[in-house]
Amino acid sequence: MTQMLLNQLRQICGDANVLTHDDPATDLSPWEQDWRKRVRGRALAVVRPGNTEQVAAVVKACGAAGTSIVPQGGNTGLVVGGVPDDSGRQIVLSMTRMNAVRAMDPANLTITVEAGCVLQNLQAAAEAAGFLFPLSLGAEGSCTIGGNLGTNAGGTQVVRYGNTRELCLGLEVVTAQGEIWHGLTGLRKDNTGYDLRNLMIGSEGTLGIITAATMKLYPQPAAQLTAWAAVPSMEAAVQLLGLAHQRLGPGLTGFEVMGQFALSLVDKHFSHLRVPLWQNNPWCVLLENSDSENEQHARNQFEALLEAAMDCGCVSDAVVAESLTQAKGLWHIRESITLAQVQEGLNIKHDISIPVSRIPTFVAETDALLAREVPGVRMVDFGHLGDGNLHYNVQAPEGVDGQAFLRDNEDRVNTLVFDQVAKFNGSISAEHGVGELKVGKLPLYKDPAALAMMRAVKQALDPQNILNPGRVLT
Ligand code: FAD
Ligand code: MLT
Ligand code: ZN
């Protein structure tokens, strides 16, 4: 049966695009190992379709054989959602060959791309045509738009442009039955029934396979300035956010907070990056002002904002990047926190959201709770404060092995943090999704009626449970 399926898959996609362990020269670890090295699965095969019809045929063949499918893009997901389990019976459906820009419609401000298009290539295609595609995140050099849609990725521009969901107008999807839904409309208004597009987005490959998407484009800003500000407390960071909204309006396109320990890890592991202002300040904030007039206007606005912030004591020191290169350097420091944390060792990662106004109290209370319950833990706090989304990460005490720390503490730490998140009316997953890592916790924190509707949707769309089983829902 297995051999028959593999032969069918080879017929559909071509021999070179069905990789198995039978060939000792082929290393499947790039598809089987998750980015954080939390899990190593074993696939029956890695299948690489070249077009939508091939995806549909693969899904039909797998459905007939009762073989489940794990859709995968760039494999940069952080919650173990895109790698196979260890049964050796699942196929990984790698979408990276389907990476074309299919169409651009400047008057409609849209671009249509295939799911395997790397985010950076989509940004570049938009830029080459004189537009901005604003989704931006540290993994943009290798994550794909299919994965971004699959996880409803956030990133650093959400405060102005929203999550990936807000950037998408239409989808082409292969259903669990192997049918093709031709939904690449590019319409900004369409009230003809249930919103299937938004149901697919963020479903982490459990409801359908996204093969292409029509995404929104924006005008490029006339000028873009970046500032790095030291703030005396999280309360001050929230106060600065309020001021920035007031004074910059829609010009505020980025507002990231970074804790002192998070920045110390960048300094320790990437000392050539020269992190500013971290040594004497508990928090730093990275702000971006995108201006529709000109650079001088942007600079004046920014300087007035920082002056007002210093007057009211919510900023103690600040630098404004003098050039694009300097600005990129500051963003690079921010994006390097994830890699610095990897260098430091395995950690418990969180991507929670809390109403912005309550974040200072949440952090103070939860820091104290963790210090009491798990003495010595080191908090790597950073993230998208503008969206109320914190990476409230917990690193093992100095000198303690990360693997042993996770084995003994992960579940307890997650419970402590998620109970606090629930108390503050937050979400246990604001960005990275549920995947496998949070699937056991979701029923404890999700509204029971919502969970029941989610189960009903999954049952209706994928009754055979062949699309990414065990992820999001069990
Ligand atoms: P994968 O990892 O391959 O897959 C992710 C999920 O989507 C899986 O469940 C998979 O089954 C599903 N999927 C993939 N392709 C499809 C498809 N075509 N159809 C249906 N389902 C599909 N995330 C953020 O939100 N914000 C950040 O700021 C951010 N920064 C990051 C920085 C670094 C350094 C790293 C390593 C990761 C970061 N991430 C961030 C997480 C990750 O990059 C995103 O989740 C990204 O959207 C995943 O894209 P991918 O192509 O790698 O997807
Ligand atoms: C980020 O904001 O840098 C990402 O979500 C990655 C991470 O949480 O480490
Ligand atoms: Zn993030």
Side-chain angles (χ1 to χ4, degrees):
M1 182 69 169
T2 302
Q3 208 48 53
M4 199 172 96
L5 174 64
L6 290 174
N7 288 341
Q8 274 178 304
L9 297 176
R10 288 191 178 102
Q11 264 170 18
I12 297 164
C13 297
D15 287 356
N17 296 310
V18 180
L19 314 176
T20 67
H21 286 282
D22 293 343
D23 175 3
T26 308
D27 175 17
L28 297 189
S29 43
W31 295 275
E32 292 178 333
Q33 170 83 69
D34 77 302
W35 192 88
R36 288 174 66 201
K37 303 208 166 21
R38 292 295 310 266
V39 163
R40 172 73 201 255
R42 186 175 172 85
L44 170 65
V46 173
V47 182
R48 301 186 300 171
N51 59 47
T52 305
E53 288 68 32
Q54 288 182 5
V55 175
V58 167
V59 173
K60 279 190 176 144
C62 288
T67 296
S68 57
I69 299 168
V70 181
Q72 190 184 90
N75 196 16
T76 66
L78 299 173
V79 290
V80 187
V83 288
D85 64 20
D86 58 7
S87 67
R89 289 200 297 266
Q90 298 189 309
I91 72 145
V92 171
L93 190 72
S94 170
M95 299 300 291
T96 52
R97 283 182 67 226
M98 289 185 62
N99 54 21
V101 174
R102 283 197 191 161
M104 173 100 64
D105 184 346
N108 196 42
L109 287 173
T110 52
I111 182 167
T112 298
V113 292
E114 292 183 337
C117 181
V118 168
L119 174 55
Q120 208 166 59
N121 296 342
L122 169 48
Q123 293 165 345
E127 194 181 335
F131 295 103
L132 170 76
F133 181 66
L135 182 64
S136 176
L137 47 114
E140 63 198 23
S142 50
C143 67
T144 64
I145 193 67
N148 302 147
L149 288 159
T151 56
N152 186 29
T156 54
Q157 303 279 296
V158 175
V159 69
R160 165 71 176 85
Y161 298 101
N163 295 290
T164 311
R165 179 174 280 126
E166 279 81 46
L167 300 174
C168 179
L169 291 175
L171 289 180
E172 178 185 89
V173 172
V174 171
T175 69
Q177 290 71 34
E179 301 302 327
I180 301 172
W181 167 36
H182 299 280
L184 294 172
T185 62
L187 299 176
R188 281 177 167 76
K189 298 181 99 168
D190 176 12
N191 284 344
T192 53
Y194 303 140
D195 194 337
L196 299 174
R197 177 192 67 207
N198 281 343
L199 187 58
M200 289 293 163
I201 298 172
S203 67
E204 301 181 48
T206 63
L207 298 181
I209 295 157
I210 297 166
T211 49
T214 298
M215 308 301 294
K216 290 183 192 170
L217 295 173
Y218 290 83
Q220 280 176 357
Q224 216 165 31
L225 284 186
T226 300
W228 183 285
V231 297
S233 63
M234 188 57 105
E235 284 83 357
V238 170
Q239 202 186 343
L240 175 62
L241 174 64
L243 270 183
H245 275 308
Q246 251 175 36
R247 291 188 169 243
L248 305 180
L252 180 66
T253 46
F255 195 97
E256 298 285 309
V257 74
M258 298 155 289
Q260 190 175 36
F261 182 62
L263 292 175
S264 80
L265 291 182
V266 178
D267 181 70
K268 175 176 168 186
H269 296 290
F270 307 113
S271 55
H272 62 284
L273 289 183
R274 309 249 285 264
V275 183
L277 305 180
W278 71 273
Q279 265 147 327
N280 303 313
N281 297 288
W283 301 94
C284 289
V285 169
L286 190 58
L287 304 95
E288 188 182 75
N289 181 17
S290 298
D291 197 281
S292 55
E293 293 189 26
N294 56 51
E295 168 133 6
Q296 196 51 49
H297 184 257
R299 204 166 280 281
N300 293 345
Q301 264 194 327
F302 232 8
E303 281 168 5
L305 164 67
L306 292 171
E307 236 175 77
M310 284 191 182
D311 285 349
C312 73
C314 65
V315 164
S316 49
D317 204 349
V319 285
V320 179
E322 288 299 327
S323 63
L324 197 60
T325 314
Q326 262 184 25
K328 280 189 175 153
L330 294 176
W331 278 105
H332 186 55
I333 292 169
R334 154 64 183 89
E335 300 295 12
S336 299
I337 297 175
T338 308
L339 292 165
Q341 239 197 312
V342 171
Q343 297 292 316
E344 189 68 8
L346 278 179
N347 55 78
I348 304 173
K349 206 175 232 321
H350 294 126
D351 60 319
I352 57 172
S353 60
I354 310 276
V356 173
S357 52
R358 307 192 73 194
I359 283 187
T361 318
F362 168 85
V363 170
E365 258 191 32
T366 315
D367 279 2
L369 179 72
L370 287 173
R372 211 166 49 237
E373 296 291 326
V374 201
V377 287
R378 297 171 298 163
M379 300 308 303
V380 187
D381 289 350
F382 66 100
H384 322 287
L385 185 62
D387 327 321
N389 172 200
L390 263 199
H391 296 304
Y392 189 74
N393 298 340
V394 184
Q395 197 92 33
E398 182 92 54
V400 172
D401 171 60
Q403 196 86 49
F405 175 71
L406 256 64
R407 187 192 58 225
D408 299 340
N409 295 287
E410 186 169 18
D411 189 60
R412 195 160 61 99
V413 166
N414 281 341
T415 301
L416 288 168
V417 173
F418 293 165
D419 283 356
Q420 281 289 103
V421 168
K423 183 176 139 188
F424 282 80
N425 299 323
S427 164
I428 66 166
S429 172
E431 261 203 336
H432 302 156
V434 177
E436 193 170 299
L437 283 188
K438 284 176 261 178
V439 75
K441 293 287 183 204
L442 193 69
L444 305 176
Y445 298 97
K446 190 90 186 167
D447 177 89
L451 203 62
M453 286 191 275
M454 283 170 60
R455 290 191 199 290
V457 168
K458 172 70 177 172
Q459 173 63 27
L461 296 192
D462 181 17
Q464 236 188 312
N465 198 20
I466 62 159
L467 293 183
N468 220 359
R471 273 72 196 257
V472 184
L473 293 168
T474 47

